[in-house]
């Protein structure tokens, strides 16, 4: 099976698997990350098949929709790619990307897997968490979890551990300070950093307007 066929089969698998998924983690999220990945990869020396499969399968079974079990997604990806007879080295690399891509993984102090391919896919995923799309996704997920939009009495927790992050039920606005506004400075690649700048600025402008309207000043 050619690389093109493998990617086509993977796209079909992901579309089917994520039917009915929460709007911020559905096929369209995957599609945007896939496009971001290919854009960033143009300027990086990476294995295009690995980054393509990593981006397409990175949220195949997000832990927060699977009782917090972080092993479901990597296992599904491994089994699917094995069924396509993808070479073991590629499968291993893709699984490692899925295991290490999330923001919460970066909150752990232990040594983590690294590769240029992971950096590219991680940047692509983080780009989709900021800017206009990031704002839409944040409030969509907040609504999905029935969280407050904002509560002035609940301050953002800027020093969360991984476990605290996973259990957080804070208002959506807090998520900007606890994650979204931090992502610009956590980008790995030069392309990712450049693309993040404009999206970061858009979020700052949104927050400024949000507080004006909240306080009856606009």
């Amino acid at each position: 099976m050619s690389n093109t066929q493998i990617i086509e089969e993977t796209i079909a698998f992901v579309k089917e698997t994520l039917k009915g998924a929460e709007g911020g983690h559905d096929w369209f999220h995957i599609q945007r990350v896939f496009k971001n990945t290919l854009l960033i990869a143009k300027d990086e020396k990476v294995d295009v098949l690995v980054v393509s499969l990593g981006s397409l399968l990175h949220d195949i079974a997000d832990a927060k929709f699977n009782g917090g079990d972080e092993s479901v997604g990597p296992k599904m990806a491994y089994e699917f790619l094995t069924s396509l007879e993808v070479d073991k080295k590629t499968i291993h690399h893709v699984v490692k990307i899925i295991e290490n891509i999330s923001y919460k993984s970066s909150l752990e102090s232990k040594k983590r897997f690294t590769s240029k391919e992971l950096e590219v896919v991680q940047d692509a995923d983080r780009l989709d968490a900021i800017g206009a799309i990031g704002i839409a996704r944040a409030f969509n997920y907040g609504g999905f979890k029935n969280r407050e939009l904002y509560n002035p009495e609940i301050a953002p927790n800027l020093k969360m551990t991984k476990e605290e992050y996973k259990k957080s039920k804070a208002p959506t606005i807090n998520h900007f300070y606890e994650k979204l506004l931090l992502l610009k400075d956590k980008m790995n690649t030069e392309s990712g950093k450049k693309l993040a700048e404009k999206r970061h600025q858009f979020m700052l402008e949104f927050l400024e307007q949000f507080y004006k309207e909240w306080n009856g000043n606009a």
Side-chain angles (χ1 to χ4, degrees):
M1 188 178 291
S2 69
N3 287 358
T4 299
Q5 289 174 311
I6 291 171
I7 291 171
E8 288 175 350
E9 289 286 336
T10 304
I11 288 172
F13 171 70
V14 175
K15 280 184 174 180
E16 182 61 30
T17 303
L18 294 183
K19 272 185 178 178
E22 181 267 331
H25 300 81
D26 58 4
W27 159 248
F28 293 112
H29 163 61
I30 302 299
Q31 185 180 55
R32 292 190 302 271
V33 174
F34 180 46
K35 290 178 179 178
N36 287 340
T37 294
L38 296 181
L39 179 63
I40 295 171
K42 289 179 181 179
D43 298 321
E44 304 293 335
K45 293 181 179 179
V46 292
D47 185 320
V48 176
L49 179 61
V50 169
V51 296
S52 295
L53 294 176
S55 62
L56 288 168
L57 293 166
H58 81 279
D59 262 349
I60 194 63
D62 191 305
K64 58 180 162 284
F65 301 111
N66 288 274
D69 190 343
E70 296 175 24
S71 69
V72 179
K75 183 180 179 182
M76 282 183 66
Y78 177 86
E79 292 176 349
F80 171 71
L81 294 177
T82 298
S83 75
L84 296 185
E85 299 184 346
V86 175
D87 72 88
K88 293 297 183 183
K89 184 178 179 181
T90 297
I91 294 176
H92 176 74
H93 199 162
V94 171
V95 167
K96 283 295 182 183
I97 288 173
I98 298 169
E99 289 175 339
N100 291 277
I101 190 174
S102 71
Y103 176 75
K104 64 180 178 290
S105 293
S106 71
L107 300 176
E108 294 179 305
S109 57
K110 69 179 182 180
K111 187 176 181 180
R112 300 168 57 241
F113 170 83
T114 59
S115 75
K116 180 57 70 173
E117 283 77 9
L118 168 61
E119 290 181 354
V120 168
V121 180
Q122 192 172 58
D123 278 6
D125 188 37
R126 287 175 173 177
L127 281 174
D128 205 55
I130 59 179
I133 291 290
I135 292 169
R137 290 182 68 209
F139 284 103
N140 188 83
Y141 185 72
F144 178 77
K145 301 295 285 188
N146 196 32
R147 293 179 181 170
E148 294 177 293
L149 293 178
Y150 174 51
N151 186 331
E153 296 181 2
I154 303 176
N157 181 355
L158 304 181
K159 295 183 179 180
M160 279 194 286
T161 63
K162 179 180 177 180
E163 287 307 309
E164 286 174 332
Y165 180 84
K166 288 169 67 175
K167 295 176 181 178
S168 175
K169 297 179 180 179
T172 298
I173 285 293
N174 288 32
H175 190 57
F176 284 76
Y177 301 96
E178 294 168 348
K179 176 184 177 181
L180 307 189
L181 293 173
L182 306 178
L183 293 179
K184 175 178 71 71
D185 293 330
K186 291 182 177 291
M187 303 300 281
N188 303 297
T189 66
E190 288 306 312
S191 296
K193 291 174 184 177
K194 290 177 182 177
L195 291 166
E197 285 288 346
K198 187 175 182 180
R199 298 188 186 210
H200 181 83
Q201 187 59 39
F202 186 87
M203 292 192 296
L204 293 178
E205 292 168 1
F206 167 80
L207 288 170
E208 182 180 2
Q209 181 67 18
F210 180 92
Y211 293 128
K212 285 180 179 178
E213 294 181 14
W214 184 275
N215 293 314
N217 296 326

